[in-house]
Amino acid sequence: MSADVTVLLRDRRTNAVLAWLVVTLVLAVVVGSVVASELLATAFAVALAGIVLLPPLSYRNAQAMLPWEILLLAALPVVGRLFATVPVTGNLATYLSVAAIALIVAVELQLFTPVKMTPRFAVVFVGVSTLATAGVWAVLRWGADRLFGTTFILDPALTEHAIEEALMWEFVASTIAGVGAGLLFAVYVGRQIGTARVPEEVQA
């Protein structure tokens, strides 16, 4: 990639345009998930869109957006979940979606608040946040199964032991995905993404 292209991609206005394109893609996934009756994909897409839109809505500045490449990385699991045709692929997208949301929260704290994370703390923060989010998500699915008769966790075709084992593997996979996202934050975000793409009034 040439120096001119690199500078362009790191330009504030270019970043905002590309970031809003990614947000549009996520919102399209929300609509597609609702039409396809994919409750899990809808929930993740809505959560991701809501978190991503916090900075521009809070600062009332359309350029107060996260780095577009981080948004794109976070959106890929959500988009992949909508088109997943194999259960394993869907589960993998779930773990990556949870980690992506934790990564987005970490980047927002780093760029739009006085909070600054060291690389080591970032790995722990994103990993723990991912595991905590996975735990909350498991409780929500269990509650839906009990209240609405869904089979997100309480599948009548599975034994209690099989359900518990599957849930534990979900937590293991979520932890691995979270640590991976934390390492990405420490290596890439900490070194490559500063406040250059954040408007001056937001930096102040």
Side-chain angles (χ1 to χ4, degrees):
M1 183 179 296
S2 67
D4 292 338
V5 174
T6 301
V7 171
L8 176 63
L9 292 179
R10 294 188 178 183
D11 176 73
R12 185 177 304 150
R13 293 183 178 179
T14 303
N15 178 75
V17 171
L18 294 176
W20 279 105
L21 288 176
V22 176
V23 171
T24 302
L25 175 62
V26 173
L27 294 177
V29 171
V30 172
V31 176
S33 300
V34 172
V35 173
S37 299
E38 288 285 344
L39 297 180
L40 296 180
T42 302
F44 276 118
V46 169
L48 180 60
I51 294 173
V52 167
L53 291 176
L54 277 178
L57 293 177
S58 299
Y59 291 104
R60 297 181 181 180
N61 190 329
Q63 292 187 12
M65 293 294 288
L66 293 169
W68 67 269
E69 58 268 44
I70 295 298
L71 291 183
L72 180 61
L73 183 66
L76 288 178
V78 176
V79 176
R81 181 163 195 46
L82 179 63
F83 297 102
T85 56
V86 181
V88 173
T89 306
N91 290 336
L92 178 61
T94 298
Y95 310 142
L96 294 177
S97 297
V98 173
I101 290 175
L103 176 62
I104 290 295
V105 171
V107 176
E108 287 188 349
L109 289 175
Q110 184 81 4
L111 292 182
F112 298 107
T113 73
V115 176
K116 302 301 175 187
M117 302 183 193
T118 62
R120 291 182 180 179
F121 180 80
V123 174
V124 175
F125 175 82
V126 177
V128 172
S129 298
T130 301
L131 185 57
T133 304
V136 172
W137 185 242
V139 172
L140 291 176
R141 287 182 293 160
W142 175 82
D145 289 348
R146 296 297 300 268
L147 293 175
F148 306 113
T150 55
T151 57
F152 293 129
I153 292 180
L154 304 178
D155 190 342
L158 300 176
T159 64
E160 182 176 347
H161 173 74
I163 293 174
E164 292 177 353
E165 183 177 6
L167 190 59
M168 291 304 102
W169 278 115
E170 283 192 15
F171 289 146
V172 170
S174 296
T175 302
I176 294 174
V179 172
L183 290 174
L184 173 66
F185 180 94
V187 175
Y188 180 71
V189 179
R191 297 180 182 179
Q192 303 295 332
I193 298 178
T195 57
R197 285 181 269 183
V198 179
E200 288 85 353
E201 59 271 24
V202 175
Q203 295 182 34

